Amino acid sequence: MSLNRFISRALSDWMKGGGPEADIVISSRIRLARNLMDTPFPWVATKEQLETVISKLAAIIEKSKNNEALGRLELIRMDRLNSLERQVLVEKHLISPHLANEARAGAVILSQNESISIMINEEDHLRIQCLFPGFQLEEAWNQANSIDDWLEINLDYAFDEKRGYLTTCSTNVGTGLRASVVVHLPALVMTKQMNRILPAINQLGLVVRGIYGEGSEALGNIFQISNQITLGRSEQEIIEDLRNVAKQLIDQERKARQRLMESSRIMVEDKIFRSYGILSQARVIESKEAMQRISDVRLGIDLGLLPGVSATILNELIVLTQPGFLQQYAGQMLSPEERDIRRAKLIRERLAEQMDLN
Amino acid sequence: MMQCQECGQRPATLHFTKIINGQKNEYHLCEVCAKDKGEVLPGLNNSFSIHNLLSGLLSFEPSGVGGGAAQIQTQRCDRCGLTYSQFSKSGFFGCAHCYEVFGQRVEPLLRKVHSGNVIHHGKIPRRSGSRLQLKRELEYKKKQLKRAVEQEEFELAARLRDEIRALEKQWSNF
């Protein structure tokens, strides 16, 4: 069954990597928040009103089953999934934790390659998301924009000439646009430059945060940069600002990598090969340590030190070794200790497979 | 379906029993009133969130606008039933109409959240407002043209100039 596929298939297209600047930019995402004019917003609406929103979307999808531009789209209701299946969709970044755990009549529309995900009855009636591998903000925006146009043919959006697209929370009003890039910045972290860079980025109206880990901690040296302001600036301006800042970060990271290799090559090599040794031999590994080691190995790949290992290993292993995925893979609930054992085994096997290929 | 015991309007989605000093009480609330009463929802993220920050911003608003503070608190959206007090506690609007009802009070909030911006300058839905869309596009292209000239990117500038001419032609045909 196809639903099964979204859950059992580990890799969405974006995780397979590729795209411009793929050595540093993992993915680019565009999200548009939209609401319907005559329906109360999800947190206030009755269950029946929320069901009507799902029905409207279901009818649109049904009508355009063979939409060539978007490919086949599928609507999945949250109440048809168990909590583990929902968690897997969260770990694949296809839905939010809010939709998985709190929405009353939540659903999601997914494209076959999983680059499009439209959440229904999350904080807003609609959250259109397009996720592309590498540095492709413009491409992601073009796709999200055309999906938005296509949906608007059959839906009356809550829109006001003065305030723009009206949203549940005032932080999204206007464009409803959240553009973001996920970047891997190990050299900037190692050379302790992030503390200097983060406040500067914040001053430009952009937000930087770790996508794994709590608070300010960024596990695996993975950061997400996104726009904070949605009102008063056009989509093009918002995206361009983000792109320019991301470009500078990419540049700085490349320079830092180069400097590291020039000034302390042996120390960098030692760190990378130790991590590689641990990942390929460990029998028990916690997710926090795994994330850090995987980041080191990925840096080693990018620096050309580990020629046999595929560059997508970071994207893949990070998702595959999340608790939901491990349990889905095992076909049962696991205690934290069992997960650490399974995680170590899975990483060992994936790395061994890679070596066999060569 | 059971109605919320507080507002009597929305269906109760939260059912729980509170036992305090052996006193047993049953509650049936909708999500809105539960948040309003500060009831902790199991499984919900109750940590300090954007709600707290936004309601903090709203509470700085001077209470002198139009009548007393009590009157403001009880002001209610006539479409979805959300009161100003519920809005200011959650930082969430209840429906599109709330933006009009709480309009005057919303502007200072927007200004704080969006670095002084209160007017939308982005996309306009296609079906409603192709004229406005054209106007915005023209403004944007003109801004780009100015920058292209400043940066001496003359090829880009020439292309933009042609695009602007075409748009202006469309504009005059409206």
Side-chain angles (χ1 to χ4, degrees), chain A residues 23-181:
Chain A
D23 56 329
I24 292 169
V25 184
I26 296 173
S27 61
S28 305
R29 191 184 73 139
I30 294 288
R31 181 269 272 162
L32 296 172
R34 298 291 186 253
N35 285 286
L36 306 188
M37 192 48 128
D38 294 320
T39 310
F41 297 158
W43 74 295
V44 170
T46 63
K47 185 112 195 299
E48 289 72 27
Q49 287 169 322
L50 296 177
E51 289 294 342
T52 312
V53 178
I54 298 185
S55 310
K56 279 184 181 165
L57 269 297
I60 295 176
I61 301 300
E62 187 61 35
K63 256 200 312 202
S64 50
K65 265 251 146 84
N66 302 313
N67 186 325
E68 295 220 340
L70 303 173
R72 210 155 67 79
L73 297 172
E74 209 164 325
L75 188 144
I76 301 165
R77 297 177 58 102
M78 286 303 113
D79 56 15
R80 296 284 155 79
L81 305 178
N82 64 36
S83 66
L84 192 56
E85 291 168 330
R86 293 199 296 269
Q87 194 182 343
V88 167
L89 293 182
V90 171
E91 288 171 4
K92 288 175 91 171
H93 303 277
L94 294 174
I95 64 172
S96 66
H98 180 93
L99 190 81
N101 304 320
E102 291 164 42
R104 277 180 293 144
V108 63
I109 294 169
L110 296 174
S111 65
Q112 294 305 101
N113 66 3
E114 300 175 15
S115 84
I116 303 168
S117 118
I118 306 168
M119 290 192 279
I120 306 174
N121 296 331
E122 211 248 13
E123 186 180 294
D124 295 296
H125 290 138
L126 298 177
R127 288 277 175 103
I128 302 165
Q129 301 195 88
C130 292
L131 193 57
F132 277 59
F135 199 24
Q136 302 194 70
L137 278 172
E138 200 60 40
E139 289 78 1
W141 157 249
N142 287 338
Q143 187 173 62
N145 192 24
S146 67
I147 293 169
D148 185 43
D149 288 341
W150 167 66
L151 289 175
E152 199 242 339
I153 297 171
N154 292 297
L155 297 172
D156 285 318
Y157 279 157
F159 180 84
D160 176 80
E161 220 178 279
K162 211 161 110 194
R163 308 281 185 231
Y165 292 93
L166 305 177
T167 52
T168 304
C169 187
S170 55
T171 52
N172 296 311
V173 75
T175 56
L177 168 71
R178 192 80 64 216
S180 59
V181 288

Side-chain angles (χ1 to χ4, degrees), chain A residues 138 141-142 145 175 177 233-244, chain B residues 121-123 133 136-137 140-141 144 147:
Chain A
E138 200 60 40
W141 157 249
N142 287 338
N145 192 24
T175 56
L177 168 71
R233 334 194 48 207
S234 72
E235 289 83 357
Q236 285 82 0
E237 287 171 312
I238 292 170
I239 290 167
E240 207 172 298
D241 280 359
L242 177 62
R243 193 173 43 209
N244 286 335
Chain B
H121 275 290
K123 184 175 175 177
Q133 199 161 10
R136 292 268 168 84
E137 210 177 322
Y140 175 68
K141 294 258 180 211
Q144 273 195 318
R147 194 158 61 180

Side-chain angles (χ1 to χ4, degrees), chain B residues 58-102:
Chain B
L58 276 164
S59 63
F60 281 113
E61 188 221 350
S63 55
V65 199
Q71 207 180 324
I72 294 170
Q73 294 301 311
T74 54
Q75 189 184 11
R76 187 182 277 272
C77 171
D78 52 329
R79 209 166 288 167
C80 71
L82 195 77
T83 64
Y84 181 74
S85 147
Q86 286 170 329
F87 165 61
S88 70
K89 267 181 205 155
S90 64
F92 274 13
F93 293 93
C95 68
H97 189 56
C98 288
Y99 275 88
E100 283 170 48
V101 178
F102 307 128

Side-chain angles (χ1 to χ4, degrees), chain B residues 107-140:
Chain B
E107 201 152 312
L109 171 70
L110 293 180
R111 194 164 278 132
K112 282 174 192 158
V113 173
H114 297 284
S115 297
N117 296 318
V118 290
I119 304 291
H120 178 55
H121 275 290
K123 184 175 175 177
I124 292 155
R126 269 208 184 157
R127 274 190 305 137
S128 49
S130 44
R131 189 182 157 85
L132 197 58
Q133 199 161 10
L134 191 59
K135 194 176 145 205
R136 292 268 168 84
E137 210 177 322
L138 259 172
E139 283 169 5
Y140 175 68

